[in-house]
Amino acid sequence: MPVLLVSSEGLIVHANSRLETLFEYQPGELTGEVLEILIPKSLSKAHCELRDTFFESPTSRDMGIGRDVYGVTKSGEHLPVEIGLELIEQDGQQMVMASVLDIRERLYAASRLRRAIDAAASGMVEVDQDGVILLVNQEAREMFGYGPGELIGKPVELLVPETSRRNHPVDRQKYQARAEQRAMGRDVWALRKDGSEFPVEIGLTPITGPRGNSTLATIIDTTERKAVERQLRKNAQELEMANRELTDFAYSASHDLKAPLSSIAGLLTFCSRDLESGDLGEVHTNVERARALADRLSGRIENMLALAKSSTVPRVWQELDVEGSVREIWRLLSSGESSEVSFVTSFDHVGVLRTVPVLFQAILENLLSNAIKFKDKSRRSRVKVTTRSTSGEFYLSVGDNGIGIPSDCHHKVFQLFQRFSPDIEGSGLGLALVLKNVVTLGGEISFESTPEGSLFTVVLPQLGEVLQEEGGIG
Amino acid sequence: MTIPLVIVDDDEIDRYLTRRTVDDADGDFKFIEYSTGHDFLEVFRNAERRHEEIGGAPPPTLVLLDINMPRMSGFEVLEELAKDSVGFEQMVVVMFSSSSHAQDKENALAYDFVKTYIVKPLTREKLQGLVDQFYS
């Protein structure tokens, strides 16, 4: 080991040959020289003072702990070194023996390790037992948005979102007590320098070292994965819904389509029997019945197709003329009505409605057609359409003074194939279609109904899809 | 022996077709029809009206109960009957539906007082089968 003996005045008393070789001096060349020729120029003045302080209260110790210490060779090269200081007395004189360790190899190895750590795809943060950050790799720095060296020595709670910061030191201590390799809990969020938060997955590894225990956290930013997962979940839900609809359709095919057909077949059987027996009156009645059934069947098929199609309608979001749509649909629906219906509108919304016109019009058509269909024959029918808008939401209400929905049926109003009035023909699909379209448009629907009438209210985003983020896997 | 046969079905044409089949069948039936489960339950639960409209047992009343009805479905009628938990010996409840859906059949037969499940339409053969099974 290269060793140097220095007097209290700062003169080199002796340098061993290994030290001379390390600092490129000839044998004996250093003896009598001032110590500062081995020290970088920028530090030599400060060093003189430090040396004096050392001799005032001398203790044996390592030099420059926590700092990089350099020596200067004869040719001016800076050598990274570690220096141990030991006080000795010779001939009544105090002297210092400095052992100098060349740490170039060690630093080289450390820098290779550092490069490897920085090249790692996950963020790494090492924290001591008091929660002080010891090491941060490049990935972690970038992830959290800090510059080089900015985090070293800071409390790790700097990286923890406000909401979990209070419990973090306690959790940290609990972890250290058990010190096992494991993942940090579920749904963990991290805090960037700019205050934004992001979801992470963190693995913890306890490290036992000569200078105490520490913990290495391996951090993965899961923002993207979360987005993919969300998209997958959404896809799965859509698939599940489509599947359920298919099942319902199969059910309806057996229930609602086969039934009228088999009734028609039955009626025709009796028709031919009645023809033989000459009961023409009965034949006539049954032919009429068969025809009504055929009409009903074709109506049902049409409704089912509408429902099926609403899933495949291209989602074209456009500005829609609400007043025009309401008037046009009302004109078509009311034209076939025998008795007059009073129609009142009050368009109080502000600004445009951006929506998928096909879906919106189907909602309107079904609500208006119900309002007309379920009228109370004992009074003059009134239908009222109102609109309004508040904080980005568009409200459409369709009210009537019809017979209402029996209160014991309110819970199944939007289910498939639900009919509440024995006397009025229907497929039981209209409100199911309305609900589906409302949900597709990102809205909600509610209703009130009494024997005095019904009021359906649809709430839609006024500027549909504009503000909606697209999935996120982009 | 006159068998009282009750049909509970909202569909007027289905009731008509059933009545014609019953009229043509061998055997003596008293045909009673209700267009809602509510109407049927009201009569069935009122001893006096029941005796008047349907008649007294024996023989037990053959009840053909439709499933898909507005307001109160056939299943809801079964639920109401289950609440009563009396009078089952006085009737033979048969689910009578255009649905050949296995789930519907399973749901119906889960009630121990539902004797069987037949798919519409009622034919002479099906009716004879019911008589042979429950009235011989």
Side-chain angles (χ1 to χ4, degrees):
Chain A
M1 152 121 18
V3 174
L4 196 65
L5 210 58
V6 182
S7 74
S8 56
E9 292 85 29
L11 293 176
I12 297 171
V13 178
H14 175 71
N16 74 356
S17 62
R18 298 192 59 176
L19 189 125
E20 288 166 338
T21 314
L22 182 62
F23 283 83
E24 303 163 357
Y25 285 93
Q26 297 301 317
E29 199 183 346
L30 279 169
T31 310
E33 289 290 342
V34 290
L35 173 63
E36 276 68 31
I37 68 166
L38 299 178
I39 291 169
K41 283 229 163 48
S42 55
L43 293 175
S44 55
K45 188 160 175 278
H47 190 263
C48 288
E49 287 161 18
L50 285 169
R51 183 164 41 75
D52 291 344
T53 319
F54 180 81
F55 278 104
E56 276 163 28
S57 59
T59 45
S60 299
R61 60 171 174 87
D62 290 335
M63 224 177 95
I65 295 167
R67 281 185 290 123
D68 296 335
V69 178
Y70 291 92
V72 179
T73 65
K74 194 176 179 187
S75 64
E77 194 193 333
H78 283 48
L79 274 184
V81 289
E82 238 172 53
I83 297 173
L85 302 175
E86 203 166 325
L87 194 73
I88 55 174
E89 246 187 67
Q90 199 173 3
D91 308 333
Q93 267 211 308
Q94 281 200 330
M95 276 190 270
V96 166
M97 188 171 80
S99 21
V100 181
L101 189 61
D102 172 9
I103 57 169
R104 274 177 298 187
E105 272 306 310
R106 198 211 295 165
L107 285 187
Y108 177 64
S111 81
R112 267 202 340 215
L113 189 63
R114 178 78 222 184
R115 277 202 301 276
I117 289 174
D118 277 344
S122 344
M124 293 182 188
V125 174
E126 190 186 353
V127 173
D128 75 7
Q129 45 206 349
D130 301 319
V132 173
I133 298 175
L134 301 173
L135 171 147
V136 182
N137 76 345
Q138 191 174 334
E139 178 68 22
R141 264 197 344 256
E142 285 170 4
M143 210 181 267
F144 288 93
Y146 285 90
E150 239 183 307
L151 280 168
I152 304 296
K154 299 275 168 57
V156 69
E157 275 73 32
L158 207 59
L159 307 177
V160 179
E162 186 103 42
T163 44
S164 19
R165 196 173 294 162
R166 238 174 52 153
N167 291 329
H168 195 259
V170 179
D171 291 343
R172 202 155 38 70
Q173 276 156 22
K174 267 193 227 152
Y175 174 79
Q176 266 158 12
R178 304 190 53 187
E180 56 188 3
Q181 185 161 353
R182 65 163 174 86
M184 226 165 111
R186 286 167 178 279
D187 200 22
V188 181
W189 289 74
L191 179 68
R192 287 196 195 90
K193 190 182 181 185
D194 65 12
S196 58
E197 297 179 9
F198 61 106
V200 287
E201 216 172 74
I202 298 182
L204 298 173
T205 310
I207 296 176
T208 316
R211 292 181 185 171
N213 297 335
S214 65
T215 305
L216 183 70
T218 322
I219 306 159
I220 298 168
D221 181 344
T222 57
T223 308
E224 242 172 72
R225 194 205 306 164
K226 283 265 154 76
V228 173
E229 279 171 7
R230 243 194 332 268
Q231 186 64 32
L232 280 178
R233 253 199 314 275
K234 195 173 150 226
N235 290 353
Q237 273 169 359
E238 276 178 15
L239 268 179
E240 205 178 300
M241 194 167 160
N243 213 0
R244 227 182 0 249
E245 275 167 14
L246 263 181
T247 314
D248 287 342
F249 263 58
Y251 182 83
S252 126
S254 84
H255 217 217
D256 280 36
L257 300 183
K258 215 180 77 186
L261 263 184
S262 94
S263 296
I264 291 171
L267 287 170
L268 293 178
T269 309
F270 290 126
C271 277
S272 64
R273 205 176 299 164
D274 292 339
L275 272 176
E276 276 164 32
S277 65
D279 188 349
L280 288 186
E282 193 72 3
V283 172
H284 190 257
T285 313
N286 285 340
V287 166
E288 277 310 307
R289 283 173 168 153
R291 223 191 45 167
L293 277 175
D295 285 348
R296 189 198 296 182
L297 191 53
S298 96
R300 273 182 194 173
I301 291 172
E302 226 162 84
N303 270 309
M304 283 176 57
L305 285 178
L307 194 60
K309 261 197 290 194
S310 86
S311 313
T312 56
V313 164
R315 312 264 162 89
V316 184
W317 297 77
Q318 289 172 356
E319 285 176 15
L320 180 96
D321 171 11
V322 177
E323 297 194 35
S325 290
V326 170
R327 292 192 203 293
E328 174 63 13
I329 290 169
W330 179 260
R331 196 179 59 77
L332 291 173
L333 287 173
S334 59
S335 62
E337 278 303 295
S338 47
S339 58
E340 205 186 319
V341 184
S342 107
F343 185 55
V344 183
T345 58
S346 159
F347 298 104
D348 297 327
H349 64 280
V350 180
V352 295
L353 171 67
R354 194 182 136 85
T355 191
V356 179
V358 192
L359 299 182
F360 181 81
Q361 280 153 359
I363 293 170
L364 252 181
E365 188 179 324
N366 275 285
L367 292 180
L368 286 176
S369 122
N370 279 351
I372 298 175
K373 197 157 73 173
F374 296 95
K375 63 189 166 205
D376 186 331
K377 288 175 187 135
S378 68
R379 52 188 175 235
R380 182 165 180 229
S381 297
R382 274 191 292 107
V383 175
K384 183 171 182 184
V385 172
T386 57
T387 64
R388 63 191 171 89
S389 52
T390 46
S391 54
E393 288 181 326
F394 174 86
Y395 288 76
L396 168 80
S397 297
V398 176
D400 62 54
N401 65 342
I403 52 176
I405 300 161
S407 60
D408 54 338
C409 301
H410 282 191
H411 62 285
K412 49 186 185 183
V413 159
F414 295 108
Q415 291 173 18
L416 286 170
F417 312 117
Q418 294 297 330
R419 292 183 295 131
F420 308 117
S421 173
D423 314 318
I424 298 171
E425 196 38 61
S427 63
L429 290 171
L431 286 175
L433 177 68
V434 167
L435 175 67
K436 199 175 153 191
N437 287 358
V438 168
V439 169
T440 305
L441 293 175
E444 283 172 25
I445 183 166
S446 58
F447 71 95
E448 296 158 36
S449 191
T450 68
E452 273 69 56
S454 302
L455 175 70
F456 281 81
T457 301
V458 175
V459 189
L460 299 174
Q462 184 156 4
L463 294 176
E465 219 199 27
V466 173
L467 299 173
Q468 287 174 7
E469 279 181 45
E470 269 307 309
I473 23 177
Chain B
M1 172 180 72
T2 301
I3 299 174
L5 191 157
V6 166
I7 179 167
V8 185
D9 196 326
D10 63 304
D11 192 309
E12 181 259 328
I13 295 175
D14 282 355
R15 293 200 305 271
Y16 168 81
L17 291 170
T18 308
R19 187 174 67 233
R20 289 279 310 244
T21 306
V22 172
D23 286 349
D24 288 354
D26 305 326
D28 191 5
F29 296 95
K30 178 182 180 188
F31 191 84
I32 310 110
E33 45 189 285
Y34 299 102
S35 62
T36 70
H38 190 257
D39 289 350
F40 165 67
L41 285 173
E42 209 171 66
V43 174
F44 193 79
R45 282 172 168 167
N46 180 323
E48 202 177 310
R49 285 191 62 191
R50 181 171 165 186
H51 196 267
E52 191 182 309
E53 292 187 25
I54 303 172
T61 306
L62 181 60
V63 180
L64 299 182
L65 180 58
D66 182 30
I67 292 179
N68 185 23
M69 292 185 282
R71 296 217 46 180
M72 184 185 262
S73 77
F75 289 122
E76 286 164 306
V77 175
L78 290 181
E79 210 37 52
E80 287 299 310
L81 288 174
K83 274 188 213 160
D84 293 354
S85 70
V86 286
F88 296 137
E89 71 288 347
Q90 296 173 34
M91 61 180 167
V92 174
V93 177
V94 174
M95 283 319 257
F96 182 54
S97 170
S98 53
S99 163
S100 50
H101 205 253
Q103 190 62 49
D104 278 345
K105 192 167 176 178
E106 201 177 302
N107 290 348
L109 294 178
Y111 294 87
D112 52 8
F113 56 88
V114 174
K115 295 293 189 289
T116 186
Y117 184 106
I118 61 176
V119 176
K120 286 180 185 177
L122 183 70
T123 59
R124 289 179 65 169
E125 293 71 30
K126 284 181 195 166
L127 182 58
Q128 192 57 52
L130 292 175
V131 171
D132 290 346
Q133 196 177 347
F134 301 109
Y135 292 89
S136 54

